[in-house]
Amino acid sequence: MAEEEQAAGCGQDLTEFKAKITEEVLSRTKFYKDFPRPGVSFMDLFSITQDPAYFRKVLDAFKHVIEFEIGRPGEAFNILVGLEARGFVLGPILALEWGLPFAAIRKSGKLPGETVKSSYEKEYGGDVVEIQKGILGPESKVLLIDDLLATGGTLNAAGELVRCCDGAKVAGSACVFEIEGLKGRQKLTMNIASVVMLRD
């Protein structure tokens, strides 16, 4: 897309590109106050997927930011791991387009076979996530995929989970939305790519 070419020519800063796509995406994203509990404002990724042409535009922007900030698919990372649940929407599509494998991190009790588990705290309570044993190995360079970076708790737990899997490495994480005011990025020790930047 033309915006990607323009951004690629801006050196090492995607600030202008992200500001433009943020304004456009937010104008078309539905927000639900007090969901799933009072005080939480929920951003609905599925309000974007209802328009195929626009969803394509958001995915292209997402791919561009990942390649710019994380690195080349197949080199910087060689497997995508999606976080439940909206990472299951984005991750497989990107994996297919890049010709890479996809794996899932799910909430406890939803994966068959032996699993590795990690517990964490998120904005509205604690949770446990897991991944199947044997999915990742020492050759795995993982890109974690989710829709939102908020406090960083979910991505941190996912990163710890990956590192417990037979020598697998975390190449980075990618989210469509990032709430800058919650400073989740500062709590993580991985490379992070995000497209839509929210103040609070």
Side-chain angles (χ1 to χ4, degrees):
M1 43 193 288
E3 292 143 310
E4 291 179 10
E5 293 171 3
Q6 182 181 1
C10 291
Q12 313 227 336
D13 191 350
L14 289 180
T15 303
E16 233 178 275
F17 176 76
K18 288 187 179 184
K20 185 173 181 181
I21 197 73
T22 292
E23 183 179 356
E24 188 173 351
V25 170
L26 291 183
S27 71
R28 302 180 65 148
T29 303
K30 291 181 181 178
F31 289 78
Y32 295 86
K33 291 185 178 180
D34 300 321
F35 181 86
R37 73 169 194 179
V40 175
S41 183
F42 184 85
M43 286 170 290
D44 186 13
L45 178 70
F46 297 114
S47 59
I48 294 172
T49 64
Q50 292 169 25
D51 180 337
Y54 187 67
F55 186 31
R56 173 78 269 169
K57 184 172 185 178
V58 172
L59 279 173
D60 285 345
F62 196 30
K63 287 169 60 181
H64 175 64
V65 171
I66 290 169
E67 292 178 19
F68 199 98
E69 297 186 335
I70 304 295
R72 189 181 298 274
E75 296 178 8
F77 53 92
N78 57 21
I79 181 169
L80 276 64
V81 174
L83 279 60
E84 189 169 350
R86 284 165 290 280
F88 299 168
V89 177
L90 302 164
I93 297 172
L94 296 178
L96 280 172
E97 295 197 356
W98 283 326
L100 297 175
F102 173 83
I105 287 179
R106 300 210 64 182
K107 293 180 180 178
S108 183
K110 294 188 176 182
L111 287 172
E114 286 189 82
T115 61
V116 182
K117 300 179 187 291
S118 178
S119 58
Y120 69 104
E121 293 295 321
K122 54 185 181 181
E123 302 93 295
Y124 39 86
D127 218 332
V128 177
V129 290
E130 59 185 12
I131 192 169
Q132 290 171 312
K133 282 187 177 181
I135 292 290
L136 305 175
E139 75 290 343
S140 301
K141 295 182 286 187
V142 174
L143 178 64
L144 296 167
I145 302 288
D146 204 359
D147 66 323
L148 172 69
L149 170 57
T151 63
T154 307
L155 281 173
N156 185 59
E160 291 300 318
L161 204 53
V162 167
R163 295 182 190 101
C164 290
C165 293
D166 301 322
K169 299 175 180 62
V170 178
S173 62
C175 301
V176 175
F177 300 101
E178 178 178 347
I179 304 176
E180 294 181 279
L182 294 179
K183 300 181 179 180
R185 176 182 291 262
Q186 298 175 20
K187 301 169 188 174
L188 298 170
T189 58
M190 63 181 76
N191 293 329
I192 301 163
S194 54
V195 181
V196 178
M197 313 301 290
L198 301 150
R199 295 295 179 189
D200 50 34

